[in-house]
Amino acid sequence: MQHGPAVRRRKLGAELRALRTSAGLTSGEAARLVGWHQSKVSRIETGTSGVKPADVRLLLDAYTVADTQLRELLMMLAGSDDSGGRHHWWHAYRGVLPPTYRDFISLESQAGAMRTLETTVVPGLLQTPEYARAVTKAAVESLSEDRLDTLVEVRLARQDVLRVDPPLELSAVLDEAVLRREVGGPGVMARQLERLVEAARLPQVRLQVLPFAAGAHIGVTGPFVIFSFSNTSDLDVVVLDHLTSSLYLERKEDLQAYTEAFNALQIHALSPEDSLDFIAGTATGA
């Protein structure tokens, strides 16, 4: 269990090591190709030291990696400000967002798919501006209006991942409590439920409701997010949010456990079609 930046270094190093091996090179041979000492390659591959985007580019060229998407992803993990010409907009908020949140956004922006269990609030990618404001104000005490405006602005900007081409594929299991908890007042909640109905009809979004009638379930331990990347499953990661930080789980055993848990939740939840009816019924008070 590591904080985000450490996970990214280790994942980047592991992927670079795999690419070097596929290229049939030893670490010493790779170092000579790029004009480094072997120890630098070893430190990068074990994640014990950071690596600049320019250094990653050198290694990828040395390993003759032509996959554009994979190169972009690895450059992103190295902290590149530019990935395929797409500006990392969240860098403009460095003075406002904590590092763990920026790291979460960067992973979210590059992931191919996101699976999430939400037990208390609507997923950030599906929140209306009014709902996002009410949730943020309740979660972070003593916020100035300017800072609150900025955090809501960031929350809404994150939602662009569902509109780009190709969009992020979002699968969300929502505990019924998410729909019943009145956030921001009746009007705000009514509009939020309408937004969920709209989102549930999008081809890139799969929403399922876990009703109270399902009883106790594996998700009672708390919400979680699984990010998956289209280029390689070795970069997949589980994110657990806490009050003051986020934790990232990268071990294959952890990924398997949370993947199995999410699959079990989907089985016990209502189907997407029945969930849509359930959300619509909740919105109308049925």
Side-chain angles (χ1 to χ4, degrees):
M1 206 156 41
Q2 301 281 342
H3 289 289
V7 167
R8 291 171 64 175
R9 286 198 305 270
R10 289 179 58 181
K11 285 185 173 295
L12 175 59
E15 188 63 20
L16 289 172
R17 181 172 60 250
L19 290 171
R20 173 179 60 75
T21 302
S22 296
L25 299 170
T26 65
S27 58
E29 291 169 338
R32 285 192 292 274
L33 281 175
V34 295
W36 299 344
H37 192 279
Q38 181 180 357
S39 61
K40 180 173 180 177
V41 174
S42 298
R43 289 196 303 272
I44 290 172
E45 291 185 351
T46 57
T48 55
S49 68
V51 55
K52 297 177 181 178
D55 290 342
V56 172
R57 188 179 296 110
L58 278 176
L59 291 175
L60 295 178
D61 289 343
Y63 305 156
T64 63
V65 177
D67 187 326
T68 303
Q69 288 186 325
L70 180 56
R71 290 178 69 99
E72 289 180 4
L73 178 58
L74 297 181
M75 293 293 290
M76 179 275 295
L77 289 176
S80 174
D81 285 334
D82 183 76
S83 180
R86 290 172 297 186
H87 178 60
H88 287 182
W89 57 268
W90 57 90
H91 287 183
Y93 296 92
R94 282 184 180 274
V96 178
L97 306 180
T100 51
Y101 191 18
R102 295 200 307 268
D103 207 60
F104 181 92
I105 295 173
S106 69
L107 290 173
E108 183 180 70
S109 71
Q110 293 293 328
M114 174 180 174
R115 288 165 286 176
T116 181
L117 165 69
E118 289 291 353
T119 58
T120 55
V121 297
V122 170
L125 294 182
L126 303 178
Q127 292 178 5
T128 65
E130 299 86 358
Y131 185 98
R133 188 176 189 85
V135 165
T136 304
K137 190 171 184 178
V140 187
E141 294 184 353
S142 304
L143 272 179
S144 68
E145 286 300 309
D146 286 346
R147 185 174 173 84
L148 179 58
D149 289 342
T150 300
L151 291 176
V152 172
E153 181 180 305
V154 169
R155 181 72 54 86
L156 300 179
R158 284 174 47 202
Q159 298 177 1
D160 283 345
V161 295
L162 295 175
R163 295 185 282 266
V164 296
D165 185 22
L168 175 76
E169 294 182 5
L170 173 64
S171 296
V173 173
L174 310 181
D175 190 277
E176 184 177 342
V178 172
L179 309 180
R180 302 292 183 188
R181 178 169 288 102
E182 192 174 280
V183 174
V188 170
M189 200 61 203
R191 286 187 290 275
Q192 178 60 72
L193 292 175
E194 290 171 2
R195 167 64 179 137
L196 285 179
V197 170
E198 295 170 0
R201 295 194 174 106
L202 296 173
Q204 67 270 33
V205 175
R206 178 188 175 96
L207 288 185
Q208 290 182 258
V209 174
L210 195 61
F212 291 147
H217 53 77
I218 197 169
V220 295
T221 54
F224 59 86
V225 172
I226 306 173
F227 284 123
S228 299
F229 297 86
S230 21
N231 303 97
T232 170
S233 61
D234 289 339
L235 296 175
D236 292 357
V237 63
V238 176
V239 185
L240 305 178
D241 263 339
H242 294 269
L243 182 61
T244 57
S245 65
S246 297
L247 294 176
Y248 294 69
L249 284 69
E250 59 172 332
R251 295 187 311 163
K252 291 187 183 297
E253 304 94 305
D254 293 324
L255 286 164
Q256 181 178 351
Y258 276 88
T259 296
E260 290 175 355
F262 190 80
N263 293 341
L265 289 166
Q266 286 188 307
I267 291 172
H268 289 93
L270 301 176
S271 69
E273 296 77 18
D274 289 343
S275 295
L276 179 58
D277 292 340
F278 192 97
I279 297 170
T282 305
T284 60

